[in-house]
Short mmCIF file of all heavy atoms in Angstrom, two decimals:
data_model
loop_
_atom_site.label_atom_id
_atom_site.label_comp_id
_atom_site.label_asym_id
_atom_site.label_seq_id
_atom_site.Cartn_x
_atom_site.Cartn_y
_atom_site.Cartn_z
N VAL A 98 120.94 101.33 111.22
CA VAL A 98 121.79 100.15 111.02
C VAL A 98 120.91 99.04 110.77
O VAL A 98 120.17 98.54 111.75
CB VAL A 98 122.71 99.94 112.15
CG1 VAL A 98 123.70 98.80 111.88
CG2 VAL A 98 123.56 101.15 112.49
N PRO A 99 120.84 98.48 109.55
CA PRO A 99 119.92 97.34 109.27
C PRO A 99 120.45 96.06 109.89
O PRO A 99 121.62 95.90 110.10
CB PRO A 99 119.95 97.30 107.77
CG PRO A 99 121.26 97.89 107.37
CD PRO A 99 121.55 98.87 108.39
N CYS A 100 119.55 95.09 110.18
CA CYS A 100 119.95 93.81 110.81
C CYS A 100 120.63 92.94 109.77
O CYS A 100 121.46 92.13 110.15
CB CYS A 100 118.72 93.21 111.50
SG CYS A 100 117.65 92.36 110.38
N GLY A 101 120.20 93.06 108.52
CA GLY A 101 120.81 92.22 107.48
C GLY A 101 120.23 90.82 107.47
O GLY A 101 120.56 89.99 106.54
N ARG A 102 119.20 90.49 108.30
CA ARG A 102 118.72 89.10 108.30
C ARG A 102 117.21 89.02 108.04
O ARG A 102 116.69 87.98 107.56
CB ARG A 102 118.98 88.51 109.71
CG ARG A 102 120.38 88.31 110.11
CD ARG A 102 120.52 87.84 111.50
NE ARG A 102 119.84 88.58 112.50
CZ ARG A 102 120.43 89.67 113.09
NH1 ARG A 102 121.66 89.95 112.88
NH2 ARG A 102 119.71 90.39 113.97
N CYS A 103 116.46 90.08 108.37
CA CYS A 103 114.96 89.99 108.27
C CYS A 103 114.53 89.89 106.83
O CYS A 103 115.19 90.11 105.90
CB CYS A 103 114.32 91.16 109.05
SG CYS A 103 114.46 92.72 108.17
N ILE A 104 113.16 89.73 106.65
CA ILE A 104 112.62 89.54 105.29
C ILE A 104 112.87 90.80 104.44
O ILE A 104 113.16 90.72 103.27
CB ILE A 104 111.13 89.20 105.27
CG1 ILE A 104 110.33 90.09 106.19
CG2 ILE A 104 110.85 87.76 105.54
CD1 ILE A 104 108.82 89.98 106.01
N TRP A 105 112.89 92.00 105.04
CA TRP A 105 113.01 93.24 104.25
C TRP A 105 114.55 93.43 103.91
O TRP A 105 114.83 93.84 102.81
CB TRP A 105 112.41 94.44 105.06
CG TRP A 105 111.00 94.28 105.31
CD1 TRP A 105 110.40 94.18 106.47
CD2 TRP A 105 110.01 94.03 104.25
NE1 TRP A 105 109.09 93.93 106.28
CE2 TRP A 105 108.74 93.92 104.98
CE3 TRP A 105 109.95 94.08 102.88
CZ2 TRP A 105 107.55 93.78 104.31
CZ3 TRP A 105 108.73 93.95 102.24
CH2 TRP A 105 107.56 93.78 102.90
N CYS A 106 115.37 93.10 104.86
CA CYS A 106 116.81 93.27 104.60
C CYS A 106 117.23 92.35 103.44
O CYS A 106 117.97 92.68 102.57
CB CYS A 106 117.68 93.04 105.77
SG CYS A 106 117.73 94.33 106.93
N ARG A 107 116.68 91.17 103.48
CA ARG A 107 116.96 90.07 102.42
C ARG A 107 116.48 90.54 101.06
O ARG A 107 117.06 90.22 100.01
CB ARG A 107 116.42 88.76 102.82
CG ARG A 107 117.14 88.11 104.00
CD ARG A 107 117.05 86.54 104.00
NE ARG A 107 115.71 86.11 103.96
CZ ARG A 107 115.00 85.79 105.06
NH1 ARG A 107 115.51 85.83 106.25
NH2 ARG A 107 113.79 85.34 105.00
N ARG A 110 115.59 96.10 101.13
CA ARG A 110 114.83 97.29 101.51
C ARG A 110 115.13 97.56 103.02
O ARG A 110 114.28 97.37 103.88
CB ARG A 110 113.31 97.06 101.31
CG ARG A 110 113.04 96.58 99.90
CD ARG A 110 111.59 96.44 99.62
NE ARG A 110 111.16 97.65 98.93
CZ ARG A 110 110.13 97.62 98.05
NH1 ARG A 110 109.39 96.52 97.93
NH2 ARG A 110 109.69 98.79 97.52
N GLU A 111 116.40 98.03 103.20
CA GLU A 111 116.82 98.17 104.56
C GLU A 111 116.11 99.21 105.42
O GLU A 111 116.09 99.08 106.57
CB GLU A 111 118.38 98.24 104.70
CG GLU A 111 118.95 99.38 103.84
CD GLU A 111 120.48 99.48 104.02
OE1 GLU A 111 121.13 98.44 103.69
OE2 GLU A 111 120.97 100.47 104.41
N ALA A 112 115.43 100.11 104.76
CA ALA A 112 114.67 101.16 105.49
C ALA A 112 113.49 100.49 106.24
O ALA A 112 113.04 101.08 107.25
CB ALA A 112 114.16 102.20 104.53
N TRP A 113 113.04 99.42 105.78
CA TRP A 113 111.93 98.72 106.43
C TRP A 113 112.35 97.69 107.45
O TRP A 113 111.54 96.95 108.00
CB TRP A 113 110.96 98.05 105.39
CG TRP A 113 110.24 99.08 104.59
CD1 TRP A 113 110.15 100.40 104.77
CD2 TRP A 113 109.51 98.76 103.32
NE1 TRP A 113 109.40 100.99 103.79
CE2 TRP A 113 108.97 100.07 102.88
CE3 TRP A 113 109.23 97.63 102.64
CZ2 TRP A 113 108.21 100.15 101.81
CZ3 TRP A 113 108.41 97.74 101.46
CH2 TRP A 113 107.91 99.02 101.11
N CYS A 114 113.66 97.50 107.65
CA CYS A 114 114.20 96.51 108.53
C CYS A 114 113.43 96.37 109.90
O CYS A 114 113.14 97.48 110.49
CB CYS A 114 115.63 96.77 108.84
SG CYS A 114 116.35 95.72 110.11
N GLU A 115 113.03 95.24 110.26
CA GLU A 115 112.23 95.06 111.47
C GLU A 115 112.99 95.26 112.76
O GLU A 115 112.48 95.40 113.83
CB GLU A 115 111.53 93.66 111.43
CG GLU A 115 110.55 93.51 110.38
CD GLU A 115 110.05 92.04 110.14
OE1 GLU A 115 110.77 91.19 110.69
OE2 GLU A 115 109.06 91.95 109.43
N ASP A 116 114.35 95.17 112.60
CA ASP A 116 115.25 95.09 113.75
C ASP A 116 116.21 96.18 113.77
O ASP A 116 117.35 96.02 114.34
CB ASP A 116 115.91 93.78 113.83
CG ASP A 116 115.40 92.90 114.93
OD1 ASP A 116 114.90 93.46 115.86
OD2 ASP A 116 115.54 91.65 114.81
N LYS A 117 116.04 97.27 113.02
CA LYS A 117 117.13 98.20 112.81
C LYS A 117 117.36 98.99 114.04
O LYS A 117 116.51 99.22 114.90
CB LYS A 117 116.77 99.14 111.58
CG LYS A 117 115.67 100.02 111.86
CD LYS A 117 115.33 100.87 110.58
CE LYS A 117 114.02 101.54 110.73
NZ LYS A 117 113.32 101.77 109.44
ZN1 LIG B 1 116.48 93.72 108.88
#
Side-chain angles (χ1 to χ4, degrees):
V98 183
C100 77
R102 296 178 305 271
C103 72
I104 46 169
W105 300 116
C106 283
R107 290 205 305 265
R110 311 184 98 154
E111 55 182 58
W113 291 349
C114 171
E115 293 169 347
D116 251 335
K117 66 184 170 209

